[in-house]
Amino acid sequence: MNTVGPYHNRQETYAYFSLPFCVGTKVTIGHYHETLSEALQGVELEFSGLDITFAENVPAQQFCAIELTDQSYKALVYAVKNHYWYQMYIDDLPIWGTVGEIDGDHYYIWTHKKFDIGYNGNRIVEVNLTAENKERLSPDAKIPFTYEVNWKKTNINFEDRFDKYLDPNFFQHRIHWFSIFNSFMMVIFLVGLVSMILMRTLRKDYARYSKDDDLDDLEKDLGDEYGWKQVHGDVFRPVPHLPVFSALIGAGYQLTIVTLAVIIFTIFGELYTERGSLLSTAIFIYAATSPVNGYFGGSLYARMGGKLWIKQMLLSAFLLPVLVCGTAFFINFIAMYYHASRAIPFGSMMAVMSICTFVILPLTLVGTVLGRNLAGQPDYPCRINAVPRPIPEKKWFMEPLIIIFVGGILPFGSIFIEMYFIFTSFWAYKIYYVYGFMLLVFLILMIVTVCVTIVCTYFLLNAEDYRWQWTSFLSAGSTALYVYLYSFYYFIFKTKMYGLFQTTFYFGYMALFSLALGIICGTVGYMGTSIFVRKIYSTVKID
């Protein structure tokens, strides 16, 4: 047995035997987590007490009975009234059943479990559960529980036994295909637009600046110079809050690699069929790729003249873990108050802290040392002026804050339909398995983000505003803001969630999801923009 909980609050789950179900002939019911990820996800595996032997039919028989006390009666009535479902596993195949139903003013529970188990050779390939025999709930009632098991041979291959849980009609609907096509056309349009407009505009800039280079000093002084060339002495100036910026960039590189790796491993390994394997894979890859975080964050910090590299390294190593663990532990207190299975055991907390301290921190240190020594020397195409150039006044729509908010609209537009499918798989009873779609949408998002950020940065530099680093990062990262706003719409109109626990759980973890997506988009946008900025300033002759 796994968990039980209200149907409309999927994440609000409790141990199966938190309700007064009987345990059969077993004196004690063992409880265990197979992996760390199962403990973090609230999987509460407990032996059911049902006696089932492979390929041996069991006729309908009683395995135990309970006599309702006032407390157990109220607990079962509450469960029926709130449409409680339970989940159990047979040979790692999940099955679900309802606790009971309401008929008029009376409450009933299902007392008979009928298992139809299909096998091919010596392997179980199919399990079906049918709930039968309604028993009316009343104080002091004695309720018997029965079960039966029917085995049948089937031709289903063991490798295909998980297919029945998938929903091709939902995930491969023509709307899904249309969204992919629409996003792909957006990419073609944006890439063409960026190439045509920027190359045409830059060609004029190059021609104008080349003409200016042939003029003497008096003619230059009398001329009307403007545009991105005028800020060449400030464009590579170190950014404010450098430790935080470099830590975010390092974390963004790491998260991008982790996301791509998990998606690819899931495509080829079908990790969604194994309980907890997706989260386990993500934790392992994240810890193993910690040198990537240290390398890119440390090298950027060194190139911009940062001196407190140990502080920056610690910030890079613990920025994301602290945010994730802090949010999870806050939600954990609420889960403990509700006695929910989502409450993280103390041992699992210690395991996560050990991974951060003894794996992530040393690997981040290695990456930081390599980044500082291999790529930490400034190699800018322009010298940095000793005194910052004043930023001239410009139109309101060219202000960095406006550019930041506008920059995330198109990237969000390329993924918002896929967000619906991802949200539904996590917050409703769907298993997401179209990771090929996810990989394609993720690549489309990266391309759209780079194109939009380059255009935004060009407009900013052309207005002689050299504050492009944070602007490029935040304009791309603002995609996360729209994703989080969309999560409010999804919560209100697409779910029937209620209660403090579920609301906190939903918006807490959606904030973490949006934050991670924002860091990825911001890093990709900054990476593409930095290449663009270096290119244009290395091509033009600067005196």
Side-chain angles (χ1 to χ4, degrees), residues 54-86:
F54 183 80
E56 291 186 10
N57 292 334
V58 178
Q61 58 183 270
Q62 179 178 329
F63 68 94
C64 68
I66 60 172
E67 187 169 346
L68 294 182
T69 63
D70 184 62
Q71 183 178 0
S72 60
Y73 167 75
K74 290 180 179 178
L76 288 174
V77 168
Y78 180 85
V80 174
K81 187 183 298 185
N82 288 276
H83 308 288
Y84 268 45
W85 281 50
Y86 60 85

Side-chain angles (χ1 to χ4, degrees), residues 488-504:
F488 281 80
Y489 163 81
Y490 187 87
F491 181 84
I492 296 171
F493 296 103
K494 299 297 182 181
T495 72
K496 296 181 180 180
M497 299 177 186
Y498 57 87
L500 173 65
F501 173 73
Q502 188 67 3
T503 303
T504 306

Side-chain angles (χ1 to χ4, degrees), residues 125 155-164 270:
V125 294
N155 295 324
I156 299 175
N157 294 323
F158 181 79
E159 295 77 14
D160 302 327
R161 69 177 189 157
F162 210 80
D163 290 352
K164 65 172 289 187
E270 296 186 347

